[in-house]
Amino acid sequence: MWGGRKLSSCGTRFVGGLRSRCWGTQAEGARLSSSAENQFSWTPQTNPWVFSEYSIMWFKSYRITFACLNRMKIYRYPWTRLYSTSQTTVDSSEIKTFVALAHRWWDEQGVYAPLHSMNDLRVPFIRDNLLKTVAHHQPGKPLSGMKILDVGCGGGLLTEPLGRLGASVIGIDPVDENIKTAQHHKSFDPVLEKRIEYRACSLEEIVEETAETFDAVVASEVIEHVIDLETFIQCCYQVLKPGGSLFVTTINKTQLSYALGIVFSEQIAGIVPKGTHTWEKFVSPEKLESILESNGLSVHTVAGMLYNPFSGYWRWSENTSLNYAAHAVKSIGQEPPVPAGFVFRGETEELHDKDSINPGVQEELKK
């Protein structure tokens, strides 16, 4: 039942969707007493991390007192995990495509031929940038002592070269058939048996057990297939050591990439199987850099990559309108980023000081 005090202003919305357009005089409060008592006799259902801007107001219903503070900062609780095990970055609609091609990973003349030849660029790109962080390295095994996570490893086309450079590599892929192919191929090299481990899982499934474990995370030709890029980048941040490197190769989102990457490569020339890519998932370097920077990763390099379908070779280019590679480094001593699912969506101002709150409300809150 209303307490008979005049409230300060009109509230636009109240928690749980409760609405009242007029907070007027004591007489108005009296007229509403009967209906209000029934209307607010239950606890509203609220989402604990989403609030809006409310005017200062208070009311009582039976023994329950509600208070609403003006310009509340919307935030996630500090104990909220940076990922959700119920949330996945894996697009299940694409799984069938990769399952059907799982046995063809190591056919250097087949559908994955462009990825085989891409190693001529991406392996030195990863190696040289990682060597900038160490003073000395072993001849023949320059990446010895480093731990690398290869996300979306497929059949191990990039995982194996990194292992041969001396790194300890974990390759993960959500397609179990891909992992079986990778494990089978690795078994032919006793050296790789000791350096490479494969797991059939998604990135977010291993974040907790591998937090701040890796010197580098590699996501080569992967982010154009995930359904939640923000969460994916946050997970990469979590598993990297401070100062660790994230390496990405992907396809730019341009009209040229649609014409050549999908229409020509998939539908006309058959260089890539139909349905492999979805243009809407392509990411521009500018958008990727923005996501990386906002999640605690400093972008050091972005370089264009061009593929010649007639020669079958890749080369570096200043043009990033088709393919490009990016190298970002996890900032040292920075607070973890706020997850996308909990980013506040309204006012970002701090709560007003207690002195600015109506004294009457303060007394009610103390009770």
Side-chain angles (χ1 to χ4, degrees), residues 31-44:
R31 287 197 299 270
L32 293 173
S33 61
S34 178
S35 60
E37 183 170 310
N38 294 328
Q39 183 179 359
F40 301 113
S41 60
W42 63 86
T43 302

Side-chain angles (χ1 to χ4, degrees), residues 83 199 205-211 213:
Y83 68 98
R199 300 186 189 181
E205 290 179 287
I206 65 166
V207 168
E208 191 168 3
E209 64 178 281
T210 60
T213 296

Side-chain angles (χ1 to χ4, degrees), residues 49-321:
W49 54 77
V50 179
F51 297 87
S52 291
E53 182 180 349
Y54 312 114
S55 298
I56 300 175
M57 54 192 176
W58 68 278
F59 60 89
K60 289 184 178 180
S61 175
Y62 290 112
R63 297 179 181 178
I64 302 176
T65 299
F66 296 96
C68 209
L69 305 180
N70 190 32
R71 292 191 181 280
M72 293 191 69
K73 181 181 179 183
I74 307 167
Y75 64 98
R76 69 175 179 87
Y77 293 130
W79 55 83
T80 303
R81 290 195 297 182
L82 294 182
Y83 68 98
S84 171
T85 53
S86 62
Q87 187 175 13
T88 179
T89 60
V90 178
D91 190 341
S92 58
S93 65
E94 295 196 15
I95 295 296
K96 292 182 179 179
T97 301
F98 292 101
V99 169
L101 299 172
H103 65 288
R104 305 184 65 181
W105 279 104
W106 289 97
D107 179 4
E108 296 186 20
Q109 306 302 319
V111 294
Y112 290 121
L115 294 183
H116 281 273
S117 61
M118 188 185 285
N119 280 353
D120 294 339
L121 296 188
R122 57 184 179 175
V123 173
F125 181 71
I126 296 169
R127 178 199 63 201
D128 295 346
N129 280 289
L130 287 179
L131 290 182
K132 294 177 183 177
T133 64
V134 296
H136 304 284
H137 61 270
Q138 298 183 31
K141 296 188 295 183
L143 300 184
S144 180
M146 293 189 179
K147 297 190 67 175
I148 299 176
L149 178 65
D150 185 8
V151 183
C153 64
L157 271 59
L158 181 55
T159 317
E160 289 195 7
L162 295 175
R164 291 192 179 92
L165 290 174
S168 297
V169 190
I170 295 180
I172 63 172
D173 198 284
V175 180
D176 187 61
E177 287 79 1
N178 287 346
I179 294 300
K180 290 178 180 178
T181 298
Q183 288 175 331
H184 176 72
H185 196 270
K186 179 190 72 170
S187 65
F188 295 109
D189 190 335
V191 174
L192 295 181
E193 280 287 329
K194 300 178 181 179
R195 297 179 186 171
I196 294 177
E197 176 187 352
Y198 288 114
R199 300 186 189 181
C201 65
S202 62
L203 174 58
E204 58 271 15
E205 290 179 287
I206 65 166
V207 168
E208 191 168 3
E209 64 178 281
T210 60
E212 297 193 344
T213 296
F214 299 98
D215 298 285
V217 173
V218 178
S220 185
E221 307 307 295
V222 170
I223 67 171
E224 65 269 26
H225 299 290
V226 303
I227 58 175
D228 189 342
L229 181 56
E230 187 88 23
T231 297
F232 182 86
I233 296 300
Q234 288 163 7
C235 290
C236 290
Y237 176 96
Q238 284 295 98
V239 301
L240 277 173
K241 295 178 180 178
S245 292
L246 171 63
F247 296 95
V248 174
T249 69
T250 188
I251 308 173
N252 197 347
K253 189 176 183 179
T254 61
Q255 292 184 354
L256 184 60
S257 69
Y258 177 79
L260 296 181
I262 295 181
V263 176
F264 176 76
S265 297
E266 295 187 16
Q267 301 175 10
I268 298 177
I271 298 173
V272 179
K274 290 183 179 180
T276 300
H277 296 112
T278 302
W279 185 79
E280 287 74 17
K281 290 183 180 179
F282 291 176
V283 184
S284 68
E286 294 78 16
K287 181 178 179 180
L288 177 61
E289 183 171 353
S290 175
I291 295 175
L292 291 171
E293 295 282 354
S294 65
N295 284 282
L297 292 154
S298 176
V299 178
H300 285 203
T301 306
V302 175
M305 305 168 66
L306 290 179
Y307 177 70
N308 187 329
F310 303 103
S311 66
Y313 291 104
W314 291 83
R315 65 179 178 87
W316 292 113
S317 171
E318 294 182 358
N319 189 342
T320 61
S321 60

